[in-house]
Each structure stands twice: as structure tokens, then as C-alpha cells.
């Protein structure tokens, strides 16, 4: 087995290191989900990255089983399946009703429907090495989607100018993990393992750059779509808690602005004459009546 053989000591070393780093990366969102558990609200987080990551892990397990010499891929992706499933379960418990329905539909469509279709097509329409090639490119495509999925988080960081939703530790671990797995794929001459990690490295660098840019910025008070949806429904207790938290934050920001305004000193121009009051409606009516009377007198004189 290429991944475990002592004839490839560097490949084994990088594969083992990749397992350790990837496992720590899977655990990186734990503080986020602990905060979700404590606040009983998903706080604007989306489930898409975790559903896509679960699907990708399932695909890589299938690929490793077909290739039969990728035990290090099986170990880390099995752990990933368990961890991502736990994350999704926690999300479903505390998400608003609309988000729950969306996540459930996404799970059925992607993790059941699409994965089942790929399984059937590769087993029925291809054999031997061709099957591995087809599945390898499918894995590359969905691995790319895993790296693209955090784009929603990047957009949220740019909108709010807050890095709360994008911890530096997660971005850093993703970047290092991409480098290690690229070297592992290169050493075992598996392009399907190496190629997606080039994009993973690029996105990791972008995320760390955004963290450096916005870490000292003043966050904007922006209501997320999830909170707006919760406001519209109004019948979910967990959603109400999330809305309350956002409203409190905005109220604090407004209060801080008011305090700054009250401390400003504006000079008063005493010599300035008072502005003339606008003409009253009664004066306008009297002028109109006088004009009508004058016109009437001219007609009588004629």
C-alpha cells in the first residue's frame, strides 16, 4: 500500500501529519458550536459548508476503498464523517425552522441522492481503473466545492468587517493541511489527492489576509438573512433569542453614538436674527379672499 508502505517513508510521514492536522481542522469549529449551544441560536451561521464537507468525506472514503491502497485517506475521512454529522445535528437542533428545512433538503439531495447516484453510476457504467479515474475526478470536483463553500463566510466578514465568523486558527490549519496533503499526493503520484489542495492553499491565504485586514476594524451592525427570517416567522423561541441578541448589539452601538454626540460642543450665534416664520395658511386665505373681492368690484363697476 502506497500510503502505508515503508518503501514510501516520506509519503507515510506526510500522510500521518495530514491526518493529525486535518483532525485538528475538523475540531476547529468547536468554539463556534459551543457558542451556538450556549446561546441556543445559530447566530447567522450556515449549514452548507458542513453538509458539503460531509459529502466530500463520504466520496473520499469510497475512492480510497476502490483504490485499496489509501488507508490514511480512510482514517481521516471516517473521522470527518463522524464530526461533521455531529455539527449538522447540533445545527438542526438550534436553527430556525426555515434553516432546518433547508438543511434537511440539502442532506437528502446531496448526501443521499447525489452520492447514491454516483455510487450506482460508477459501479454499473465503469470497471477497473476507469472507475477509479471517473471517481477521482468527481472527488476533485467536490473537494474544490469544499474549499469554495467558505466563500459565504468570507462575504460575511467583508460585509460586517468582523472576523468573529472566521477564526484565524481555522484558516491557518486549512492552509497547512492543504500543503501537507498536496505533498502526500505528489509523493504517492496521486493527482486526485494533490490537485484540490492547490486551491485549498489559495483560499487559506485569502482568509488569513482578510483576518489581518479586519481584525482591528469596527464591526458593522448588520442583520443576517437568518435573523431577518426569524423576525418574519416570530414563532420560534430559538430564533427569537438570536434576534434579541442582534437587537441588543445594535442598541449598544446606537447608545455609544448618542453618548459621543452629547459630548460635542456647538457654538451659538447670538447676534444672528431669528428666521422669519413661514406665512400662515390663514394669511394666504385672506389674501385670496381680498383678490376675489377686488375682482368682483371691477365687474360691478363695469
Amino acid at each position: 500500500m502506497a500510503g502505508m508502505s515503508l518503501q514510501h517513508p516520506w509519503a507515510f510521514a506526510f500522510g500521518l501529519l495530514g491526518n493529525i492536522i486535518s483532525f485538528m481542522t475538523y475540531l476547529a469549529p468547536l468554539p463556534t458550536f459551543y457558542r451556538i449551544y450556549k446561546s441556543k441560536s445559530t447566530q447567522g451561521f450556515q449549514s452548507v459548508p458542513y453538509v458539503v464537507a460531509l459529502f466530500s468525506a463520504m466520496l473520499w472514503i469510497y475512492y480510497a476503498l476502490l483504490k485499496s491502497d489509501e488507508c490514511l485517506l480512510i482514517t481521516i475521512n471516517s473521522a470527518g464523517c463522524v464530526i461533521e454529522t455531529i455539527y449538522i445535528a447540533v445545527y438542526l437542533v438550534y436553527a430556525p425552522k426555515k434553516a432546518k428545512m433547508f438543511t434537511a433538503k440539502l442532506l437528502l439531495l446531496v448526501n443521499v441522492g447525489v452520492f447514491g447516484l454516483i455510487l450506482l453510476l460508477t459501479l454499473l457504467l465503469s470497471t477497473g481503473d476507469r472507475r477509479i479515474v471517473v471517481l477521482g475526478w468527481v472527488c476533485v470536483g467536490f473537494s474544490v466545492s469544499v474549499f469554495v463553500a467558505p466563500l459565504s463566510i468570507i462575504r460575511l466578514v467583508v460585509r460586517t468587517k468582523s472576523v468573529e465568523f472566521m477564526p484565524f486558527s481555522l484558516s491557518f490549519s486549512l492552509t497547512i493541511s492543504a500543503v501537507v496533503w498536496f505533498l502526500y499526493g505528489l509523493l504517492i503520484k496521486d493527482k486526485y489527492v494533490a490537485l484540490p489542495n492547490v486551491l485549498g492553499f489559495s483560499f487559506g491565504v485569502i482568509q488569513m489576509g482578510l483576518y489581518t485586514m479586519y481584525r482591528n476594524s469596527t464591526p458593522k451592525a448588520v442583520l443576517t438573512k437568518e435573523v431577518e427570517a426569524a423576525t418574519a416567522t416570530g414563532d420560534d423561541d430559538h430564533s427569537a433569542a438570536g434576534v434579541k441578541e442582534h437587537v441588543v448589539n445594535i442598541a449598544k452601538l446606537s447608545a455609544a453614538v448618542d453618548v459621543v454626540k452629547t459630548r460635542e460642543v456647538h457654538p451659538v450665534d447670538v447676534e444672528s436674527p431669528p428666521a422669519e416664520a413661514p406665512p400662515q395658511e390663514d394669511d394666504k386665505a385672506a389674501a385670496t379672499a381680498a383678490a376675489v373681492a377686488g375682482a368682483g368690484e371691477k365687474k360691478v363697476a363695469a
Side-chain angles (χ1 to χ4, degrees), residues 219-232:
K220 288 183 179 179
V222 178
L223 285 176
T224 59
K225 291 182 179 179
E226 181 183 336
V227 176
E228 291 173 358
T231 307

Side-chain angles (χ1 to χ4, degrees), residues 69-89:
D69 59 353
E70 299 288 356
C71 288
L72 292 175
L73 286 179
I74 294 176
T75 54
I76 187 57
N77 286 288
S78 298
C81 282
V82 174
I83 295 172
E84 297 296 339
T85 301
I86 294 173
Y87 289 158
I88 294 170

Side-chain angles (χ1 to χ4, degrees), residues 7-273:
Q7 297 177 359
H8 301 81
W10 283 108
F12 175 75
F14 279 112
L16 187 60
L17 183 60
N19 270 251
I20 297 172
I21 296 174
S22 295
F23 184 76
M24 299 304 295
T25 303
Y26 279 128
L27 297 181
L30 274 179
T32 296
F33 281 90
Y34 180 73
R35 190 161 70 249
I36 290 174
Y37 168 75
K38 294 291 289 184
S39 63
K40 312 299 181 185
S41 169
T42 52
Q43 303 178 359
F45 290 99
Q46 297 182 2
S47 61
V48 175
Y50 308 103
V51 174
V52 175
L54 175 62
F55 179 67
S56 179
M58 293 166 62
L59 278 179
W60 280 112
I61 291 175
Y62 179 37
Y63 171 79
L65 289 174
L66 284 181
K67 199 169 181 183
S68 72
D69 59 353
E70 299 288 356
C71 288
L72 292 175
L73 286 179
I74 294 176
T75 54
I76 187 57
N77 286 288
S78 298
C81 282
V82 174
I83 295 172
E84 297 296 339
T85 301
I86 294 173
Y87 289 158
I88 294 170
V90 173
Y91 184 91
L92 288 173
V93 170
Y94 297 110
K97 290 183 178 179
K98 187 176 180 180
K100 286 181 180 178
M101 292 299 297
F102 174 77
T103 303
K105 291 177 181 178
L106 191 64
L107 281 169
L108 289 175
L109 175 65
V110 176
N111 298 80
V112 177
V114 176
F115 182 77
L117 183 63
I118 292 172
L119 190 67
L120 287 175
L121 291 178
T122 52
L123 290 176
L124 296 177
L125 301 181
S126 57
T127 57
D129 292 338
R130 180 174 177 81
R131 180 183 298 165
I132 295 176
V133 170
V134 172
L135 185 59
W137 283 113
V138 171
C139 289
V140 169
F142 282 99
S143 293
V144 169
S145 70
V146 170
F147 291 121
V148 173
L151 282 176
S152 59
I153 303 298
I154 293 175
R155 183 170 61 90
L156 186 61
V157 169
V158 174
R159 284 179 59 208
T160 61
K161 297 187 182 301
S162 171
V163 294
E164 176 187 1
F165 302 98
M166 191 178 65
F168 181 82
S169 59
L170 178 58
S171 301
F172 180 75
S173 60
L174 283 173
T175 306
I176 298 300
S177 176
V179 172
V180 171
W181 283 112
F182 171 78
L183 293 174
Y184 173 78
L186 199 64
L187 289 170
I188 65 172
K189 299 179 180 179
D190 192 332
K191 61 184 176 183
Y192 306 116
V193 175
L195 283 177
N197 289 288
V198 176
L199 188 62
F201 172 77
S202 303
F203 275 108
V205 171
I206 292 173
Q207 291 181 27
M208 289 191 293
L210 286 175
Y211 184 91
T212 303
M213 184 183 303
Y214 292 118
R215 62 177 179 177
N216 296 322
S217 299
T218 303
K220 288 183 179 179
V222 178
L223 285 176
T224 59
K225 291 182 179 179
E226 181 183 336
V227 176
E228 291 173 358
T231 307
T233 55
D235 57 347
D236 190 279
D237 294 337
H238 302 321
S239 302
V243 174
K244 181 178 179 182
E245 180 175 346
H246 283 272
V247 171
V248 168
N249 290 337
I250 294 174
K252 288 179 180 178
L253 181 61
S254 302
V257 173
D258 290 338
V259 170
V260 173
K261 287 183 177 180
T262 55
R263 292 180 180 177
E264 295 179 356
V265 179
H266 300 279
V268 179
D269 190 1
V270 180
E271 296 180 359
S272 299

